[in-house]
């Protein structure tokens, strides 16, 4: 990577996790970001795998992956807290339109072996996450939740920039 000393994390505090009150609908919406195929849980697992896989091949990018995994774990924790406070169980699942539960699966994690393919998948995943959080901000009117989502969105945009820079360095 161009700058091994670059700051992987944004130096912006996260808002306190709180909600206006129980709201099943909001909790169900946040489950999508919590434990779907394009969720923070998938991100934690995928970036952790990629960090292990690239430790010897490309230590700088492996460190980037590890730092993103740590941010995604923080996001996962905050989402889980909000889901719980909204009155929904924060199990690793989503609820479809027919009210059926679908649990998170390890098959959601991309296990590409080449760094270029990994970065391409990660950039696509971050684009999806950014779109999902922007959509969630339109769907949720609780300002406490919106503040947390806006802060997470800043991380996702920062991660996208870091991944794009890593891709350019290939």
């Amino acid at each position: 990577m161009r700058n091994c000393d670059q700051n992987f994390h944004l130096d912006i505090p996260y808002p306190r996790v709180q909600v206006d009150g129980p709201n099943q609908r909001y909790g169900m919406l946040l489950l999508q970001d919590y434990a779907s195929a394009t969720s923070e849980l998938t991100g934690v697992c995928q970036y952790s795998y990629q960090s292990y896989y690239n430790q010897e091949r490309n230590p700088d990018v492996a460190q980037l992956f590890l730092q993103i995994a740590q941010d995604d774990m923080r996001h996962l924790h905050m989402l889980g807290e909000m889901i719980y406070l909204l009155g929904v169980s924060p199990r690793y699942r989503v609820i479809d339109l027919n009210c059926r539960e679908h649990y998170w699966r390890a098959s959601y994690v991309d296990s590409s072996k080449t760094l270029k393919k990994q970065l391409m998948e990660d950039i696509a995943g971050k684009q999806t996450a950014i779109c999902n959080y922007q959509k969630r901000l339109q769907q949720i009117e609780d300002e406490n939740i919106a503040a947390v989502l806006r802060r997470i969105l800043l991380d996702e945009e920062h991660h996208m920039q870091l991944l794009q820079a890593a891709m350019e360095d290939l």
Side-chain angles (χ1 to χ4, degrees):
M1 292 181 62
R2 279 176 245 168
N3 181 0
C4 296
D5 297 325
Q6 75 186 95
N7 188 0
F8 294 113
H9 304 290
L10 293 174
D11 190 23
I12 302 170
Y14 291 89
R16 183 169 160 241
V17 172
Q18 56 189 359
V19 301
D20 287 343
N23 187 315
Q24 294 278 314
R25 182 175 163 270
Y26 290 171
M28 296 299 187
L29 288 170
L30 292 177
L31 282 174
Q32 298 295 320
D33 307 304
Y34 183 68
S36 70
T38 58
S39 67
E40 297 294 346
L41 180 57
T42 301
V44 169
C45 296
Q46 184 160 308
Y47 290 111
S48 295
Y49 163 78
Q50 291 171 343
S51 178
Y52 308 139
Y53 192 80
N54 287 288
Q55 280 179 347
E56 292 182 18
R57 292 172 180 82
N58 193 321
D60 289 341
V61 176
Q63 184 65 27
L64 170 62
F65 289 149
L66 178 62
Q67 298 299 316
I68 294 174
Q70 290 172 353
D71 282 348
D72 283 359
M73 175 143 333
R74 177 177 284 150
H75 302 163
L76 180 73
H77 181 73
M78 291 186 299
L79 289 169
E81 280 188 272
M82 289 188 295
I83 291 165
Y84 179 78
L85 292 172
L86 290 165
V88 175
S89 175
R91 293 183 309 218
Y92 299 118
R93 68 194 167 106
V94 294
I95 310 293
D96 69 18
L97 296 174
N98 296 318
C99 296
R100 290 182 302 220
E101 290 183 324
H102 299 278
Y103 284 86
W104 186 87
R105 296 188 295 268
S107 62
Y108 295 157
V109 176
D110 178 72
S111 56
S112 299
K113 303 291 188 219
T114 67
L115 183 54
K116 182 175 182 178
K117 177 80 167 116
Q118 290 172 353
L119 287 167
M120 288 171 49
E121 291 294 326
D122 294 343
I123 290 168
K126 287 300 175 188
Q127 288 170 333
T128 299
I130 289 167
C131 288
N132 288 345
Y133 282 120
Q134 289 170 339
K135 181 179 179 182
R136 219 61 74 225
L137 284 167
Q138 293 173 351
Q139 296 169 318
I140 294 176
E141 296 178 5
D142 181 324
E143 184 51 40
N144 295 304
I145 297 170
V148 173
L149 296 181
R150 283 192 297 271
R151 178 58 184 86
I152 290 172
L153 189 54
L154 290 176
D155 281 341
E156 298 300 348
E157 291 166 344
H158 182 63
H159 295 161
M160 171 75 88
Q161 293 169 350
L162 294 170
L163 292 165
Q164 288 171 331
M167 180 66 100
E168 290 171 12
D169 287 345
L170 283 184

